[in-house]
C-alpha cells in the first residue's frame, strides 16, 4: 500500500488539501473528480483491498499495530477524539477555540483568489479578513482551495484539525498556490465520468493527520474505489476496522435493555448545543459545489444500488433554498450571455457549470449530467491551456462557481417581465378594528412604501371587506381615493377594473392618503360578518392580468358567500379516530380551486390571521400552500402586545428581495430521479415547481429514487435551476450545481449523512402524513424510521465489535434521535386535542413546511441561555456575551431558581425569572411590584442592567430577520403561562405523556435491539 | 327472446362506453405524466368526464336490473356502490393542486376499474352469445 500511496500523490496534478503537507492526500482532495487523467493510478487500490478486510486486524483499540502496512500515517492519528470505547458512554471531541479557526482564511484567500475569481462579483481579497467569521459559518467561496479552509473549520468539532495545524498551514500554502494551475486537470479528466471513479474513492490513503477522525469514516472506502464490478455486494464493514478504534459513536446504556432504571447519564446524551453543524467533508470534497445554504443533501454519499437505498431507511433527498441570503461579499455572480445565449446541454438542458469539461481544444464541452458532447459556440470559445482548462476561466464565474445567476433572454419569457405587484385584501370587520390590527398594518404598509422592491415599476392595490366588498380607485389624477362598495356577493363585478391596481410612484399621494385614512374610515364599524370568499374572487379578478403578491389580513372566520366556513371546531371526539385528519385539511374545495387558479395566474398568497377564535387556518392556509406563500398567525392579536411582531414581519414580507413568476426544476444525473416534492408550491408538471413568488425565507424539500438497480457513474450531479423575474424586471435563472459521490457502502452513507437535511425532510413528511392520517401515526412514522436506520447501522458493526448493550450511531447522526423527539413534540405534531389548538397546529404545520434547515433546527431545539451572570457583571461588554452565555440542555433541570433564562426558538423569546432571584435584579428589570401581571409588564427601563438585557434580546433577534420573536416574560411558578410558554417546550423533559429524552433514547435503543 | 338479445346488445354497448370513458381517463393521466397536458387541463378533463361515467355505469346497472339479468346486475353493483360512495364524499373530483401527489393512486384505481370492466365485458359477451345460441 505504501507505494500506492506515494504513487497517488505524484499523480495528482496538485495537492488540493490546503492544510496538509502535499504528500499526504487529504480525503477531500482525492475524492474530487479531479483525479489525474487516467484512472489507472487507482487500480492498485482495488487490488490491495483484500488485506483491509482480512480479519487479521485486531478490532480492538490497537490502532497502530497493523496500521503501518495499510496506512502509513495512521499511527500519527490522534486517538483522543475517539477515545477508548469504554472511556465514556458518549464521545466528546475537543472543540477548537474559535480564534484559531478564523485565522487561516486570509492568507489563503489572497493568493488563490486572483487566478480564478471573477472580477465582477468577487470582492478584492482585502475584504476577506474582516469577514472571516462569516466564512467560518458557511464554507462557501467556491474557489477551490479556499474552500477547504473555512469549511474544515466549520466542521463538527471532531473534525477539527489539532492546533498544530496552524503551523503546518503556512508551510503548505506556497506549494498549494503553485500547483493551483493543475486544477484544470479536473476538467479534462472528469470529462468521462468513468474516469472519475477513483474520484471518490481516493480518500483511503488519506490518513493525513489533521483530519484523522474524519478518515475513520473512510475506512471502508477503498472497496468503493474499486471498479464497480469488483465490489458488488455491500461492503463488509470490516474494512473500516483496519487499525481503527471504532467507526461509530456510542452511548453506554448501563442496565439491560428492558429495565427502566438505566444507568444512562443524562449529561452525556448528545445535544446540538452549537446549533446546526453542517457536514463539511462534502464541501471539501467538491469545493465547486454551491454553498450548503442553497442545497443540502440528506446524505452526500449517493447509494449505488436499490438494495442500498432500501437499507438506508432515512429519507433520501435534498432541501433547497434557492434564494438564501448570502452574506456580504459572497453575492451570487450575475452573468449575461448577451451574444451567445445561455449555454446549455442540447439534450438534457443542463446549464453550463463548473463540472462540465471542455475537450477537443475547447471546441466541445461534455455535459456532466448526461455526458453528451456539445459544440461550443464561437462566441463562447476559448482555447485550452496545457492542463486542459480554458484560458479565460477567470472571466467565467459559471465555470468556477456552483452558484450563479444568468440573465435570461427573450426565449425564457412568455410575456414581458411583470412588475412587482402587491395587493392587499384587508378584513375591516369589528375585530380587526378593535384589536388594532388595521392601524398597525396601515402604518406599516405606509412606512414600507419607499422600500418596496422594483422602484418605479411597483404596482399596488387594496380591497377591504366585511359583509360587503370595498374597492378603491387610486387613479393618479385623484387626490383622495374613491371608495366603491359592492354588496352583491353572488355575482362579483369589478368596478373600474383599470384603476384598482395602480403604479405606486404615480399614485403615491393617493395611496398615502388612503393608508392615512384607513383606520379612521372603519373605526366605528360594527360589522361582524366576513365575505372573504367573494372578496378573494374579486382580488383574483383584479390581479389575474399581472400576477403578484396578495396579502390577506383576516381576523374572523369567513361567513358570507362562496367559501364560507363553519365552526367545525376542534372536536375532542374526533381525535384518535379516522376523522381526526379531516380537521387539518381544507373543508371547502373552493380554497383548493382558488389556490390552483392563483398559481396559474402567478399570484402568491400570504395569509395573516389574527383571530382569537377558530379561523380555520387549515382552509385559509391552503391558499398559501399551493401558491408558494406563507401563513402568519397571531392568535388573539392585540396591537399593544403583538404590534412589533406584526410590524416587523409584514415589513420583512414587503421589502425582502422577491423573485416573481418563478418556476424551479432540479435536474440530476442519469439513473437518479426526483420523485416527490415537499413544501409550499404547486407542481406544474412531474418535476416543475411553480412558484409565483419566492424569497430567501422559503425552502423546498425533495426526495429522489434510483431508476436503475445499479448506478454506473461515480458521481451524481444535481442542478437546481430557478427561472424567475427579478424585482428589477429582468428575467433571470439562478443555477445551483452540486456533485456528490456514489458509494457502494452503507456505512459511508451513514457517515456522510446530514442530520439537518434529514430532520427537515422527516418533518415535512410527518406533517404531510398528519394531513391524511392520525397524529400518532405521523409521530410513529418518525420514530420507526429512526429505529430502522439505527438498527441497520448497528447490524453493520454488531458482528465485529462487541457493542453489547451500548447504543451505537454514526457520528453524523448523533442528534437525530433528539431532533426526532423534538419533531414529535413540535406544535404541529404534538399530543392530541389538548396539547395545541387546532389553528396553531395548522399554522405551525404550514410554517414548518417552508422553513429553511437552520431555522427548522432552531425551532426544534431552541436555545436556552442563562443570562443573570452576564447581567450582573457590569464590566462585560456585549461581545463576550456568547462566551458567557452558553446554550443549556432544554430540560427543567437546567433552570436554577436563582437565575434568569432566555428561551429562544426563533419565533418567540421567553425570559424566565427564577423565584429566588435577588430582589434587586428583579426590581431593576421589571419594576417594584412583585405581583405585577407578567404578560403586560415592559422590560424597557432606564438602568444599565435593563439596557443590557434589551441588548441581548436585540442580538438574539438580529441573528435572523425572517421572523420577529416576540418577548414573553414569565416567572417561575406562574401557571399556566409558565407551562404554556416554557415548560411544555423543554423537549428533553417528559411533558404531557410524551417521552423525556432519556426514555426516548431507551425506547429507541430497545427497539433497535429487538 | 329477441328482446333479450337486444337488451344484451344494448348493455354491451353501454359497457363499451364506460370502458372508453375509463380508458380516456387513464390516457389523460399518462399524458400528464409525460407532460403533454398540465394539471389544469387534466383536472378539467377528468372532472368533466367523471359524472358521465358514473351515470353511464348507473344506467348499465339499471338496465340489467329491469331486464332481470341478476348475475350481471350483481356484478355491476359493487362498482356502482363504489362510485356512489366516491360521489357522496366528493372524492371523485381531481384538483389541479394535488394531482401529482395522487397520481399513482388515481391511476391504480382506474386501472383496477378497467380490469373489472374487462371481466364484465367478457361475461356480457358470453351471455349475449349464450342467448343467441339459446334462441336457436
Amino acid at each position: 500500500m505504501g507505494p500506492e500511496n506515494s504513487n497517488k500523490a505524484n499523480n495528482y496534478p496538485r495537492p488540493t488539501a490546503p492544510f496538509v503537507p502535499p504528500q499526504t492526500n487529504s480525503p477531500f482532495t482525492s475524492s474530487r473528480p479531479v483525479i489525474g487523467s487516467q484512472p489507472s493510478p487507482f487500480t492498485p487500490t482495488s487490488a490491495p483491498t483484500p488485506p483491509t478486510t482480512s480479519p487479521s486486524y485486531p478490532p480492538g483499540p490497537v490502532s497502530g499495530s497493523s496500521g503501518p502496512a495499510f496506512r502509513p500515517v495512521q499511527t500519527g492519528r490522534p486517538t483522543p477524539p475517539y477515545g477508548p470505547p469504554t472511556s465514556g458512554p458518549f464521545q466528546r471531541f475537543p472543540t477548537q477555540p474559535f480564534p484559531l479557526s478564523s485565522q487561516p482564511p486570509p492568507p489563503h484567500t489572497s493568493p488563490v483568489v486572483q487566478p480564478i475569481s471573477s472580477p465582477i462579483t468577487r470582492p478584492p481579497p482585502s475584504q476577506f479578513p474582516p469577514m472571516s467569521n462569516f466564512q467560518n459559518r458557511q464554507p462557501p467561496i467556491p474557489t477551490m482551495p479556499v474552500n477547504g479552509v473555512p469549511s474544515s473549520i466549520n466542521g463538527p468539532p471532531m473534525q477539527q484539525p489539532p492546533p498544530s495545524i496552524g503551523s503546518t498551514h503556512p508551510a503548505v500554502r506556497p506549494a498549494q498556490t503553485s500547483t493551483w494551475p493543475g486544477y484544470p486537470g479536473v476538467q479534462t479528466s472528469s470529462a468521462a465520468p468513468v474516469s472519475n471513479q477513483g474520484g471518490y474513492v481516493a480518500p483511503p490513503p488519506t490518513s493525513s493527520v489533521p483530519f484523522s477522525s474524519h478518515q475513520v469514516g473512510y475506512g471502508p472506502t477503498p472497496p468503493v474505489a474499486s471498479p464497480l464490478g469488483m465490489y458488488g455486494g455491500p461492503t463488509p464493514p470490516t474494512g473500516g476496522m483496519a487499525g481503527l478504534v471504532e467507526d461509530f459513536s456510542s452511548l453506554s446504556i448501563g442496565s439491560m435493555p428492558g429495565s427502566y432504571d438505566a444507568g444512562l447519564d443524562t449529561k452525556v446524551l448528545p445535544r446540538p448545543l452549537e446549533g446546526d453543524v453542517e457536514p463539511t467533508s462534502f464541501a471539501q470534497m467538491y469545493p465547486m459545489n454551491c454553498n450548503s445554504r442553497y442545497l443540502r443533501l440528506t446524505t452526500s454519499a449517493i447509494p449505488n444500488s436499490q438494495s442500498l437505498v432500501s437499507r438506508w431507511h432515512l429519507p433520501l433527498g435534498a432541501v433547497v433554498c434557492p434564494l438564501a441570503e448570502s452574506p456580504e461579499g459572497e453575492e451570487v455572480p450575475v452573468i449575461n450571455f448577451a451574444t451567445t445565449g445561455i449555454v446549455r446541454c442540447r439534450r438534457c438542458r443542463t446549464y453550463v457549470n463548473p463540472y462540465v469539461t471542455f475537450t477537443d481544444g475547447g471546441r466541445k464541452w461534455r455535459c456532466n449530467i448526461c455526458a453528451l458532447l456539445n459544440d461550443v459556440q464561437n462566441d463562447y470559445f476559448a482555447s485550452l491551456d496545457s492542463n486542459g482548462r480554458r484560458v479565460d476561466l477567470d472571466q467565467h464565474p459559471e465555470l468556477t462557481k456552483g452558484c450563479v445567476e444568468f440573465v435570461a433572454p427573450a426565449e425564457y419569457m412568455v410575456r414581458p417581465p411583470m412588475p412587482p405587484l402587491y395587493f392587499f385584501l384587508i378584513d375591516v370587520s369589528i375585530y380587526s378594528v378593535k384589536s388594532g390590527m388595521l392601524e398597525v398594518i396601515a402604518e406599516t404598509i405606509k412606512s414600507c412604501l419607499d422600500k418596496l422592491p422594483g422602484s418605479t415599476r411597483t404596482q399596488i392595490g387594496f380591497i377591504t371587506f366585511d359583509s360587503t366588498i370595498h374597492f378603491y380607485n387610486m387613479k393618479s389624477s385623484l387626490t383622495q381615493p374613491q371608495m366603491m362598495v359592492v354588496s352583491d356577493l353572488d355575482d362579483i363585478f369589478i368596478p373600474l377594473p383599470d384603476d384598482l391596481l395602480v403604479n405606486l410612484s404615480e399614485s403615491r399621494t393617493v395611496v398615502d392618503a388612503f393608508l392615512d385614512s384607513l383606520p379612521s374610515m372603519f373605526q366605528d364599524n360594527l360589522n361582524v360578518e366576513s365575505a372573504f370568499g367573494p372578496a378573494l374572487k374579486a382580488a383574483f379578478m383584479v390581479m389575474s392580468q399581472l400576477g403578484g403578491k396578495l396579502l390577506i389580513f383576516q381576523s374572523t372566520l369567513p361567513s358570507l358567500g362562496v367559501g364560507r366556513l363553519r365552526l367545525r371546531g376542534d372536536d375532542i371526539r374526533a381525535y384518535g379516530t379516522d376523522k381526526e385528519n379531516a380537521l387539518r385539511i381544507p373543508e371547502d374545495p373552493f380554497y383548493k380551486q382558488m389556490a390552483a387558479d392563483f398559481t396559474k395566474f402567478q399570484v402568491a398568497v400570504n395569509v395573516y390571521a389574527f383571530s382569537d377564535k377558530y379561523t380555520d387556518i387549515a382552509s385559509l392556509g391552503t391558499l398559501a400552500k399551493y401558491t408558494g406563500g406563507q401563513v402568519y398567525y397571531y392568535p388573539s392579536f392585540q396591537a399593544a402586545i403583538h404590534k412589533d411582531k406584526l410590524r416587523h414581519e409584514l415589513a420583512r414580507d414587503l421589502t425582502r428581495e422577491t423573485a416573481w413568476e418563478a418556476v424551479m426544476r432540479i435536474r440530476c444525473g442519469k439513473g437518479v430521479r426526483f420523485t416527490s416534492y415537499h413544501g409550499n408550491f404547486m407542481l406544474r408538471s412531474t418535476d416543475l415547481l411553480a412558484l409565483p413568488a419566492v424569497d430567501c425565507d422559503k425552502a423546498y424539500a425533495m426526495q429522489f429514487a434510483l431508476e436503475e438497480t445499479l448506478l454506473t457513474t461515480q458521481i451524481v450531479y444535481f442542478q437546481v435551476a430557478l427561472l424567475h423575474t427579478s424585482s428589477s424586471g429582468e428575467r433571470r435563472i439562478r443555477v445551483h450545481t452540486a456533485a456528490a459521490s456514489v458509494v457502494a457502502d452503507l456505512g459511508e452513507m451513514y457517515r456522510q449523512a446530514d442530520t439537518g437535511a434529514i430532520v427537515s425532510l422527516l418533518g415535512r413528511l410527518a406533517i404531510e402524513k398528519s394531513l391524511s392520517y392520525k397524529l400518532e401515526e405521523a409521530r410513529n412514522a418518525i420514530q420507526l424510521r429512526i429505529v430502522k436506520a439505527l438498527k441497520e447501522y448497528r447490524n453493520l458493526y454488531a458482528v465485529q465489535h462487541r457493542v453489547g448493550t451500548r447504543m451505537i450511531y454514526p457520528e453524523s447522526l448523533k442528534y437525530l434521535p433528539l431532533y426526532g423527539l423534538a419533531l414529535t413534540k413540535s406544535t404541529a405534531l404534538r399530543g392530541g386535542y389538548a396539547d395545541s389548538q387546532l389553528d396553531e397546529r395548522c399554522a405551525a404545520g404550514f410554517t414548518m413546511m417552508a422553513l429553511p434547515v437552520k431555522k427548522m433546527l432552531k425551532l426544534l431545539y431552541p436555545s436556552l441561555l442563562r443570562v443573570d451572570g452576564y447581567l450582573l457583571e457590569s464590566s462585560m461588554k456585549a461581545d463576550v456575551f456568547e462566551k458567557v452565555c452558553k446554550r443549556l440542555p432544554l430540560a427543567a433541570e437546567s433552570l436554577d431558581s436563582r437565575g434568569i433564562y432566555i428561551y429562544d426558538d426563533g419565533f418567540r423569546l421567553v425570559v424566565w425569572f427564577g423565584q429566588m432571584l435577588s430582589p434587586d435584579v428583579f426590581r431593576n428589570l421589571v419594576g417594584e411590584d412583585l405581583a405585577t401581571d407578567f404578560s403586560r409588564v415592559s422590560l424597557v427601563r432606564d438602568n444599565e442592567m435593563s439596557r443590557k438585557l434589551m441588548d441581548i434580546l436585540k442580538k438574539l433577534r438580529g441573528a435572523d430577520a425572517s421572523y420577529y420573536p416576540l418577548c414573553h416574560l414569565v416567572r417561575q411558578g406562574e401557571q399556566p403561562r409558565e407551562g404554556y410558554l416554557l415548560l411544555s417546550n423543554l423537549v428533553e423533559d417528559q411533558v404531557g405523556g410524551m417521552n423525556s429524552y432519556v426514555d426516548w433514547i431507551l425506547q429507541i435503543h430497545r427497539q433497535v435491539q429487538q | 327472446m329477441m328482446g333479450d338479445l337486444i337488451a344484451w346488445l344494448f348493455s354491451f354497448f353501454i359497457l363499451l362506453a364506460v370502458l372508453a370513458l375509463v380508458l380516456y381517463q387513464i390516457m389523460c393521466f399518462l399524458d400528464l405524466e409525460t407532460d403533454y397536458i398540465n394539471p389544469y387541463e387534466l383536472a378539467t378533463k377528468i372532472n368533466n368526464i367523471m359524472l358521465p361515467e358514473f351515470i353511464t355505469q348507473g344506467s348499465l346497472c339499471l338496465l340489467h336490473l329491469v331486464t332481470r339479468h341478476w348475475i350481471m346486475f350483481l356484478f355491476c353493483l359493487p362498482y356502482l356502490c363504489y362510485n356512489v360512495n366516491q360521489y357522496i364524499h366528493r372524492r371523485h373530483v381531481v384538483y389541479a393542486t394535488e394531482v401529482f401527489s395522487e397520481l399513482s393512486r388515481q391511476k391504480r384505481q382506474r386501472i383496477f376499474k378497467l380490469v373489472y370492466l374487462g371481466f364484465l365485458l367478457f361475461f356480457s359477451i358470453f351471455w349475449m352469445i349464450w342467448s343467441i345460441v339459446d334462441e336457436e
Side-chain angles (χ1 to χ4, degrees):
Chain A
M1 263 339 230
E4 179 237 336
N5 212 356
S6 56
N7 173 15
K8 249 187 203 174
N10 298 338
N11 262 303
Y12 279 124
R14 70 187 171 109
T16 13
F19 274 115
V20 202
Q23 69 274 18
T24 50
N25 293 297
S26 91
F28 321 109
T29 10
S30 34
S31 49
R32 297 173 57 260
V34 191
I35 317 314
S37 41
Q38 330 87 357
S40 57
F42 292 101
T43 17
T45 340
S46 56
T49 348
T52 340
T53 41
S54 83
S56 65
Y57 292 104
V62 212
S63 63
S65 68
S66 55
F70 177 52
R71 303 180 177 186
V73 206
Q74 229 147 29
T75 33
R77 194 170 59 81
T79 17
Y82 265 90
T86 42
S87 69
F90 159 61
Q91 269 87 18
R92 286 222 167 260
F93 308 94
T95 340
Q96 184 86 11
F98 223 55
L100 172 87
S101 51
S102 55
Q103 149 197 8
H108 258 294
T109 5
S110 32
V112 179
V113 163
Q114 289 131 350
I116 20 123
S117 68
S118 84
I120 321 165
T121 50
R122 181 149 289 255
S126 58
Q127 281 188 19
F128 274 95
M131 278 176 32
S132 48
N133 251 338
F134 262 128
Q135 299 181 349
N136 297 338
R137 285 247 149 262
Q138 285 135 340
I141 320 205
T143 55
M144 327 195 50
V146 184
N147 213 343
V149 182
S151 31
S152 69
I153 284 149
N154 167 15
M158 68 168 297
Q159 296 185 8
Q160 300 224 345
S164 66
I165 225 146
S167 60
T168 16
H169 166 240
V172 179
R173 187 163 46 97
Q176 187 207 353
T177 21
S178 65
T179 35
W180 166 245
Y183 157 59
V186 176
Q187 305 212 332
T188 25
S189 62
S190 59
V194 199
S195 68
N196 292 339
Q197 282 193 7
Y200 180 49
V201 196
T206 52
S207 14
S208 62
V209 185
F211 296 103
S212 55
S213 46
H214 177 88
Q215 290 142 16
V216 175
Y218 279 87
T221 14
V224 187
S226 64
L228 274 175
M230 296 214 43
Y231 229 82
T235 326
T238 20
M241 265 165 54
L244 295 180
V245 179
E246 254 169 15
D247 221 354
F248 47 79
S249 309
S250 67
L251 205 57
S252 290
I253 295 188
S255 67
M256 291 307 289
S259 82
Y260 261 93
D261 59 326
L264 186 53
D265 185 0
T266 47
K267 290 197 185 62
V268 300
L269 292 169
R271 294 185 175 91
L273 299 181
E274 290 87 40
D276 174 30
V277 180
E278 293 166 33
T280 49
S281 55
F282 182 41
Q284 287 160 338
M285 215 183 295
Y286 298 100
M288 289 187 295
N289 274 2
C290 62
N291 192 285
S292 64
R293 73 177 93 91
Y294 303 115
L295 174 79
R296 283 175 78 163
L297 295 170
T298 55
T299 172
S300 39
I302 308 298
N304 75 340
S305 65
Q306 299 276 17
S307 66
L308 215 52
V309 176
S310 62
R311 292 169 67 206
W312 161 246
H313 298 299
L314 294 169
L316 189 60
V319 181
V320 175
C321 184
L323 291 180
E325 279 175 308
S326 44
E328 221 166 299
E330 287 178 37
E331 283 84 9
V332 177
V334 179
I335 295 153
N336 196 344
F337 283 119
T339 51
T340 41
I342 294 179
V343 181
R344 299 177 73 174
C345 173
R346 246 181 316 127
R347 182 164 65 194
C348 65
R349 310 303 291 150
T350 297
Y351 296 86
V352 68
N353 62 66
Y355 295 104
V356 304
T357 43
F358 287 86
T359 53
D360 199 8
R363 279 185 294 274
K364 303 226 183 233
W365 62 274
R366 188 178 293 279
C367 169
N368 54 329
I369 288 192
C370 71
L372 181 76
L373 211 52
N374 290 278
D375 293 329
V376 175
Q377 286 147 304
N378 289 337
D379 296 343
Y380 196 61
F381 174 79
S383 53
L384 305 185
D385 65 14
S386 55
N387 294 310
R389 71 170 185 150
R390 283 171 66 112
V391 288
D392 63 346
L393 201 60
D394 50 345
Q395 288 153 33
H396 287 280
E398 77 273 13
L399 296 178
T400 51
K401 296 183 166 209
C403 170
V404 288
E405 198 158 274
F406 296 117
V407 176
E411 304 99 76
Y412 292 83
M413 304 173 197
V414 282
R415 59 173 184 174
M418 59 175 277
L421 188 153
Y422 292 89
F423 200 84
F424 300 86
L425 186 61
I426 305 167
D427 176 1
V428 290
S429 63
I430 182 163
Y431 183 77
S432 308
V433 183
K434 288 277 176 290
S435 65
M437 177 273 269
L438 204 55
E439 205 178 330
V440 178
I441 59 169
E443 217 174 85
T444 313
I445 296 171
K446 185 155 184 262
S447 69
C448 289
L449 288 180
D450 286 324
K451 289 178 271 170
L452 290 183
S455 64
T456 56
R457 304 168 66 240
T458 312
Q459 303 228 21
I460 199 167
F462 297 85
I463 289 181
T464 60
F465 64 96
D466 41 29
S467 60
T468 53
I469 303 170
H470 323 127
F471 296 89
Y472 298 90
N473 177 358
M474 307 238 196
K475 212 153 100 181
S476 53
S477 52
L478 300 169
T479 47
Q480 282 289 315
Q482 240 172 23
M483 179 169 162
M484 288 154 290
V485 179
V486 172
S487 52
D488 181 4
L489 301 179
D490 297 326
D491 184 22
I492 301 291
F493 81 100
I494 306 290
L496 298 171
D498 298 331
D499 297 328
L500 299 177
L501 203 55
V502 291
N503 183 297
L504 176 60
S505 51
E506 285 167 16
S507 303
R508 180 62 191 266
T509 47
V510 195
V511 173
D512 277 342
F514 168 73
L515 289 170
D516 284 334
S517 57
L518 180 63
S520 54
M521 229 185 310
F522 294 101
Q523 64 186 355
D524 301 322
N525 194 356
L526 294 177
N527 205 322
V528 293
E529 301 288 351
S530 161
F532 177 74
L536 194 66
K537 280 197 131 165
F540 172 70
M541 287 153 89
V542 177
M543 295 182 77
S544 56
Q545 288 294 317
L546 281 173
K549 204 159 177 169
L550 172 64
L551 292 92
I552 298 173
F553 301 87
Q554 175 71 15
S555 48
T556 47
L557 192 67
S559 59
L560 288 179
V562 59
R564 67 176 159 270
L565 298 165
R566 56 192 182 86
L567 259 177
R568 50 180 167 165
D570 203 357
D571 187 358
I572 191 164
R573 282 164 302 176
Y575 281 85
T577 70
D578 293 337
K579 286 186 187 137
E580 178 192 319
N581 63 295
L583 294 174
R584 294 187 285 273
I585 53 176
E587 186 185 24
D588 189 338
F590 169 76
Y591 290 93
K592 278 190 214 169
Q593 196 53 55
M594 282 310 287
D597 291 343
F598 275 126
T599 317
K600 194 173 179 181
F601 291 95
Q602 308 292 354
V603 179
V605 181
N606 281 2
V607 178
Y608 292 75
F610 301 93
S611 176
D612 52 346
K613 298 190 203 69
Y614 179 69
T615 0
D616 205 344
I617 299 291
S619 296
L620 298 182
T622 311
L623 293 170
K625 179 178 175 183
Y626 293 111
T627 58
Q630 202 172 340
V631 176
Y632 296 87
Y633 183 49
Y634 307 84
S636 316
F637 181 84
Q638 286 299 325
I641 302 169
H642 301 93
K643 189 161 130 191
D644 290 338
K645 187 172 171 66
L646 173 59
R647 192 181 283 157
H648 177 99
E649 286 168 5
L650 177 56
R652 167 93 177 169
D653 189 9
L654 292 175
T655 56
R656 65 188 162 194
E657 187 50 53
T658 306
W660 308 84
E661 47 179 357
V663 287
M664 185 167 88
R665 173 172 271 143
I666 178 163
R667 294 184 170 82
C668 51
K670 201 166 150 279
V672 181
R673 192 172 54 92
F674 278 91
T675 50
S676 66
Y677 301 84
H678 313 273
N680 292 357
F681 56 81
M682 195 180 125
L683 274 178
R684 193 169 295 165
S685 72
T686 36
D687 61 344
L688 189 68
L689 277 60
L691 303 162
V694 209
D695 50 65
C696 52
D697 300 327
K698 308 267 170 26
Y700 308 91
M702 45 209 74
Q703 285 184 285
F704 59 83
L706 299 193
E707 272 184 319
E708 296 159 9
T709 40
L710 204 65
L711 283 187
T712 47
T713 48
Q714 288 298 305
I715 296 180
V716 172
Y717 298 94
F718 297 93
Q719 187 171 66
V720 181
L722 177 82
L723 173 63
H724 64 274
T725 299
S726 70
S727 294
S728 55
E730 221 172 11
R731 201 74 174 137
R732 288 186 176 180
I733 307 163
R734 175 73 72 102
V735 177
H736 303 293
T737 313
S741 325
V742 175
V743 300
D745 168 32
L746 187 63
E748 187 60 27
M749 282 181 75
Y750 280 108
R751 269 187 296 275
Q752 301 281 322
D754 178 347
T755 309
I758 292 175
V759 170
S760 185
L761 203 44
L762 267 184
R764 287 170 195 239
L765 291 172
I767 290 167
E768 273 175 12
K769 190 154 193 171
S770 76
L771 300 182
S772 33
Y773 298 94
K774 284 184 270 188
L775 284 173
E776 198 177 345
E777 286 172 56
R779 290 194 296 263
N780 288 345
I782 297 176
Q783 186 174 355
L784 190 67
R785 291 191 96 148
I786 295 175
V787 167
K788 275 186 175 169
L790 292 180
K791 195 176 207 165
E792 196 72 50
Y793 188 75
R794 188 183 174 86
N795 291 343
L796 278 182
Y797 295 100
V799 186
Q800 290 84 29
H801 301 269
R802 266 175 250 111
V803 289
T805 58
R806 279 182 302 157
M807 172 165 179
I808 70 165
Y809 47 83
E811 177 65 23
S812 57
L813 294 178
K814 61 182 171 185
Y815 303 135
L816 182 66
L818 178 56
Y819 280 126
L821 175 66
L823 265 179
T824 63
K825 290 185 175 183
S826 62
T827 316
L829 295 170
R830 69 163 68 142
Y833 170 77
D835 295 283
S836 58
Q837 284 193 346
L838 182 58
D839 272 348
E840 276 183 54
R841 198 186 283 280
C842 293
F846 285 122
T847 306
M848 284 167 76
M849 288 299 282
L851 281 188
V853 175
K854 280 187 192 298
K855 192 96 184 124
M856 176 89 154
L857 295 186
K858 177 90 181 283
L859 174 66
L860 291 178
Y861 197 85
S863 54
L864 183 68
L865 309 168
R866 178 169 185 165
V867 294
D868 53 326
Y870 172 74
L871 293 177
L872 287 171
E873 199 69 52
S874 56
S875 62
M876 287 187 190
K877 289 270 183 300
D879 49 333
V880 296
F881 170 67
E882 275 89 1
K883 280 178 211 140
V884 179
C885 302
K886 291 263 184 293
R887 287 180 67 169
L888 300 167
L890 272 179
E893 287 167 20
S894 304
L895 300 172
D896 178 352
S897 59
R898 282 163 301 185
I900 302 174
Y901 293 81
I902 297 183
Y903 164 95
D904 170 23
D905 68 1
F907 289 82
R908 66 175 161 206
L909 294 166
V910 179
V911 184
W912 184 89
F913 296 89
Q915 249 165 358
M916 318 268 284
L917 186 65
S918 95
D920 278 349
V921 179
F922 200 77
R923 203 172 307 123
N924 276 333
L925 292 175
V926 289
E928 295 292 333
D929 188 6
L930 288 178
T932 34
D933 177 7
F934 261 53
S935 57
R936 306 212 167 263
V937 84
S938 153
L939 267 182
V940 189
R941 248 154 254 282
D942 193 28
N943 59 54
E944 200 204 344
M945 199 179 286
S946 173
R947 271 193 297 272
K948 261 173 132 179
L949 183 60
M950 295 316 287
D951 276 349
I952 297 178
L953 297 182
K954 199 173 155 201
K955 205 173 181 119
L956 293 174
R957 281 176 184 144
D960 178 14
S962 55
Y963 289 89
Y964 181 90
L966 198 63
C967 183
H968 303 270
L969 306 187
V970 65
R971 209 171 44 191
Q972 185 177 16
E974 185 194 5
Q975 294 297 353
R977 288 184 71 240
E978 189 192 17
Y980 164 75
L981 288 172
L982 185 64
L983 297 185
S984 66
N985 296 318
L986 296 176
V987 293
E988 291 189 19
D989 282 342
Q990 187 173 358
V991 183
M994 283 179 287
N995 284 325
S996 70
Y997 190 16
V998 175
D999 291 343
W1000 171 260
I1001 288 284
L1002 288 178
Q1003 193 180 341
I1004 286 188
H1005 183 56
R1006 259 200 316 279
Q1007 291 174 351
V1008 166
Q1009 283 192 319
Q1010 270 162 18
Chain B
M1 273 297 128
M2 192 59 186
D4 202 33
L5 181 63
I6 289 172
W8 277 118
L9 267 178
F10 209 59
S11 71
F12 176 73
F13 286 116
I14 296 181
L15 194 56
L16 277 188
V18 182
L19 209 67
L21 288 174
V22 174
L23 208 61
Y24 176 75
Q25 291 168 25
I26 292 178
M27 278 167 57
C28 284
F29 281 107
L30 289 178
D31 278 356
L32 180 74
E33 267 185 325
T34 46
D35 222 357
Y36 284 124
I37 57 173
N38 64 39
Y40 300 100
E41 292 171 64
L42 176 103
T44 333
K45 282 182 175 178
I46 297 281
N47 293 341
N48 282 342
I49 214 168
M50 283 314 279
L51 210 54
E53 184 212 317
F54 288 2
I55 292 171
T56 326
Q57 205 275 334
S59 55
L60 176 70
C61 226
L62 198 72
L63 184 72
H64 284 309
L65 185 69
V66 297
T67 52
R68 303 190 196 177
H69 298 142
W70 304 120
I71 299 182
M72 277 306 278
F73 173 70
L74 284 180
F75 277 138
C76 288
L77 204 57
Y79 193 115
L80 184 70
C81 293
Y82 178 77
N83 281 352
V84 169
N85 185 32
Q86 291 269 303
Y87 187 76
I88 290 172
H89 292 104
R90 294 197 60 78
R91 253 180 271 163
H92 65 292
V93 189
V94 172
Y95 295 100
T97 44
E98 41 204 41
V99 169
F100 284 102
S101 53
E102 291 189 346
L103 191 61
S104 63
R105 193 179 64 82
Q106 297 273 11
K107 240 172 49 185
R108 220 176 321 125
Q109 178 207 37
R110 281 173 176 88
I111 288 173
F112 187 81
K113 276 188 177 179
L114 198 68
V115 173
Y116 193 88
L117 288 172
F119 271 113
L120 286 186
L121 193 69
F122 171 78
F123 281 114
S124 194
I125 292 172
F126 172 80
W127 262 298
M128 187 159 57
I129 294 171
W130 183 270
S131 67
I132 294 170
V133 172
D134 215 28
E135 215 172 328
E136 286 162 0

